């Protein structure tokens, strides 16, 4: 009951407003295949380039920080959403021109003689395994390579390569593109605004003209290094036809990186007709690897749930109900005699609802936990339903931020409502609401600011611009803070739960125990962690190894299982503490499930040591640990909130069933 009461009715219409708002700014939710760009033969399409990325450093850099060919009209940045900016994406135009269904090999440019600084930079980016990320019609360039006899799929291509047992580095200066196209024929479709922004739109034309065009359904690249004669290439102009080349295997015919070298860039385009249709073009990127592992994760979680459910069943039916039934069947004299012989949880009846230490901090953390949990659940549900397409870069992060801002009402309401239950008064609710609005965003802001100074020092595109700082602060101050105060006000207007028993004036002494209670609390976190650690591996791989994560259906199931396990663990641990006459259960219930965050952070360190062995330098490690700490704090607040609310409902039900004179 309290779990339902902790969320304001006002939250629902705010959620509806959020949906309308996001729909408006995004021109409708993007499902894979919603915006179909249709091109005619010989239509010009220009590829775009994203930031250079590396799994070794995790520091993104601008594509044009290296001496690459620039577009004829100058470098122009593409419009980016909030999520893309926060992720360090910097999408620019490029000189790579494609003409629909025209196979060609073209010359781009020849650089000036490389300076010492440019050579040093190219060598460093090559040895740090930086990848060039190219985009055509919103599809990332895909590369296939053979590793240990297996065909491995990657996105992007390397800046260069270093042969084994060699000190020389070679630059990738010739790209072979394969563009997969699907011929589209429709009735009543008109093609307008052809080019990159063109799209097929259903027309109500009476004559029902038949129109045909081509959709891009695949974009593959094969990179190689080719040494050209600078004198011969200097006579060519941009997009002049050059003979097709085979990628050389001999290093003498590859383009070395050294001072005073002039590098010529060329590319080759081949259009191939494909049976792949527009809605299925992302399937190649989103192939679900390890489906059996995901199912194993879910089955493992179910086993933990059934084990804990059995314990809870025993507690409720065999212990609690049996004791309560015996107690209710006795007459008053027998009850009075039995009260003198009570043991276990019945002895703390006058202390169980005593105000916990640092009660204000507890209410703040519960408020932020409700906000984070609501954000996570709604985001994952939307993603599982297909509303967070990978084609809309940054959409997932943008949606999470906006949803977090609008769920400030639920945070304020939950925190103030719990404050009124504990204190019995609304006094101080404004201060509490401000604390709720500032606590978690403040932690994130401090960590991000420290990391941002590190990124600024490295001149990385991952650094958050000052202007974006002001935008985020404005959104927080103008949306989240007022809504949190509104939620706090609504919390003061609602009728709080009443304790079923009176609290004694003098606190009961807690008996000494052989082992400290925090050991049991920390150990309890292993059970929720067991339900999510397998899925956590895939999530970390998608974040730090540049892989696509799109099994949100599995993630939604794991999230629901995690909620159930956190609730069960907290109830069991609370009951165990009450049975040994420990009435200080509030914080223990919070950390019983919230301690899973400690194991998540330790697992992140384990992943850094054993899976990200190539991660180089202290800067990269600090960035990784900083972002992992933010995730761990968010998980602690969310899971701790679930545990405390469930335990409160359990304790309230337990002692409301006891007759005390």
């Amino acid at each position: 009951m309290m779990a339902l009461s902790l969320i304001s009715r006002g939250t629902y219409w705010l959620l509806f407003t959020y949906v309308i708002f996001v729909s408006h700014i995004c021109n409708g939710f993007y499902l894979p295949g919603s915006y179909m760009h249709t091109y005619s033969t010989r239509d010009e399409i220009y590829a775009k380039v994203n930031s250079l990325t590396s799994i070794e450093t995790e520091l993104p850099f601008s594509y044009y920080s290296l001496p690459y060919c620039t577009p004829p009209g100058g470098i122009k940045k593409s419009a980016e959403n909030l999520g893309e900016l926060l992720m360090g994406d910097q999408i620019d135009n490029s000189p790579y021109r494609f003409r629909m269904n025209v196979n060609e090999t073209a010359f781009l440019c020849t650089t000036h003689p490389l300076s010492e600084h440019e050579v040093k930079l190219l060598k460093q980016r090559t040895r740090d395994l930086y990848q060039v990320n190219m985009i055509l019609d919103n599809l990332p360039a895909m590369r296939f390579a053979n590793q240990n006899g297996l065909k491995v799929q990657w996105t992007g291509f390397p800046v260069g390569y270093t042969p084994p047992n060699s000190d020389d580095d070679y630059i990738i200066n010739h790209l072979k593109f394969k563009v997969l196209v699907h011929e589209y024929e429709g009735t009543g479709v008109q093609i307008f605004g052809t080019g990159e922004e063109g799209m097929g739109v259903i027309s109500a034309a009476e004559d029902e003209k038949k129109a045909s065009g081509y959709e891009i359904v695949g974009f593959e690249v094969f990179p190689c290094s080719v040494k050209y004669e600078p004198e011969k290439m200097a006579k060519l102009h941009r997009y002049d036809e050059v003979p097709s080349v085979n990628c050389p295997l001999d290093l003498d015919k590859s383009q070395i990186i050294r001072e005073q070298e002039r590098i010529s860039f060329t590319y080759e385009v081949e259009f191939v007709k494909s049976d792949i249709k527009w809605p299925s073009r992302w399937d190649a990127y989103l192939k679900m690897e390890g489906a059996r592992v995901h199912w194993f994760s879910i089955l493992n979680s179910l086993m933990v749930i059934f084990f804990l459910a059995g314990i809870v069943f025993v507690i409720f039916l065999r212990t609690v109900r049996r004791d309560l039934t015996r107690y209710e069947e006795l007459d008053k004299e027998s009850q009075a005699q039995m009260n003198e012989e009570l043991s276990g949880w019945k002895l703390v009846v006058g202390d169980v609802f005593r105000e916990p230490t640092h009660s204000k901090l507890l209410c703040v953390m519960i408020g932020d936990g409700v906000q984070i949990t609501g954000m996570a659940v709604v985001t994952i549900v939307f993603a599982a339903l297909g509303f967070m397409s990978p084609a809309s870069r940054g959409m997932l992060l943008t949606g999470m931020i906006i949803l977090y801002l609008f769920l400030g009402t639920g945070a304020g309401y939950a925190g103030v409502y719990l404050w009124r239950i504990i204190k019995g008064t609304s006094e101080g609710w404004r201060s509490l609401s401000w604390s709720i609005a500032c606590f978690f965003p403040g932690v994130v802001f401090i960590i991000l600011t420290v990391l941002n100074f590190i990124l600024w020092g490295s001149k990385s595109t991952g650094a958050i611009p000052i202007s974006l700082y002001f935008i985020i602060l404005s959104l927080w101050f103008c949306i989240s803070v007022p809504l949190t105060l509104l939620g706090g006000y609504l919390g003061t207007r609602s009728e709080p739960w009443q304790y079923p028993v009176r609290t004694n004036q003098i606190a009961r002494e807690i008996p000494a125990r052989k082992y400290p209670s925090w050991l049991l609390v920390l150990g309890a976190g292993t059970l929720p962690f067991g339900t999510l650690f397998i899925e956590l591996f895939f999530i970390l791989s998608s974040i730090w190894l540049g892989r696509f994560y799109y099994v949100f259906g599995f993630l939604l199931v794991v999230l629901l299982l995690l909620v159930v396990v956190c609730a069960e663990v907290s109830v069991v641990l609370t009951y165990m503490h009450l049975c040994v006459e420990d009435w200080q259960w509030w914080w223990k219930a919070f950390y019983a499930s919230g301690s899973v965050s400690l194991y998540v952070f330790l697992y992140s360190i384990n992943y850094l040591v054993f899976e990200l062995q190539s991660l180089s330098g202290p800067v990269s490690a600090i960035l990784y640990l900083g972002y992992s700490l933010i995730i761990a704090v968010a998980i602690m607040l969310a899971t701790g909130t679930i545990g405390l609310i469930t335990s409160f409902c359990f304790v309230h039900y337990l002692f409301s069933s006891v007759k005390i004179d």
Side-chain angles (χ1 to χ4, degrees), residues 35-55:
Y35 291 158
M36 182 177 63
H37 292 200
T38 310
Y39 304 95
S40 300
T41 300
R42 303 191 69 85
D43 276 349
E44 290 188 354
I45 317 153
Y46 284 88
K48 294 182 180 180
V49 286
N50 204 341
S51 300
L52 305 174
T53 55
S54 168
I55 60 173

Side-chain angles (χ1 to χ4, degrees), residues 1-26:
M1 293 290 292
M2 179 189 172
L4 295 175
S5 300
L6 281 175
I7 298 181
S8 160
R9 275 182 276 182
T11 306
Y12 295 109
W13 66 261
L14 284 171
L15 181 59
F16 177 75
T17 307
Y18 158 76
V19 172
I20 300 299
F21 176 75
V22 174
S23 303
H24 176 69
I25 62 173
C26 299

Side-chain angles (χ1 to χ4, degrees), residues 208-280:
E208 294 189 350
K209 296 178 182 177
K210 282 195 174 181
S212 63
Y214 296 92
E215 309 155 353
I216 295 176
V217 294
F219 183 39
E220 300 173 11
V221 61
F222 185 81
C224 55
S225 180
V226 180
K227 184 174 179 60
Y228 293 105
E229 296 180 17
E231 296 79 12
K232 185 185 293 184
M233 302 303 285
K235 299 176 183 178
L236 297 175
H237 298 90
R238 180 164 292 179
Y239 304 128
D240 281 352
E241 192 79 19
V242 295
S244 178
V245 295
N246 292 319
C247 292
L249 299 176
D250 193 350
L251 292 178
D252 293 336
K253 297 179 181 179
S254 300
Q255 180 60 61
I256 195 171
I257 301 174
R258 64 186 171 199
E259 284 187 55
Q260 301 305 313
E261 280 285 326
R262 300 185 66 191
I263 301 173
S264 297
F265 289 89
T266 56
Y267 69 101
E268 191 173 327
V269 184
E270 179 188 8
F271 285 87
V272 178
K273 288 190 177 182
S274 171
D275 293 330
I276 299 172
K277 295 185 178 180
W278 175 273
S280 306

Side-chain angles (χ1 to χ4, degrees), residues 190-204:
Q190 293 180 339
I191 301 172
F192 71 95
T194 54
E196 185 168 333
E197 299 302 323
M199 63 184 74
V201 176
I202 303 301
S203 169

Side-chain angles (χ1 to χ4, degrees), residues 582-599:
D582 185 353
W583 47 266
Q584 295 178 337
W585 59 272
W586 295 85
W587 283 105
K588 294 182 179 71
F590 181 88
Y591 283 115
S593 51
S595 61
V596 66
S597 60
L598 174 64
Y599 297 100

Side-chain angles (χ1 to χ4, degrees), residues 347 349-351 354 502-508:
L347 288 173
V349 68
D351 298 273
R354 190 175 299 280
R502 292 190 303 270
T503 300
N504 297 335
Q505 292 183 350
I506 301 175
R508 180 185 180 85

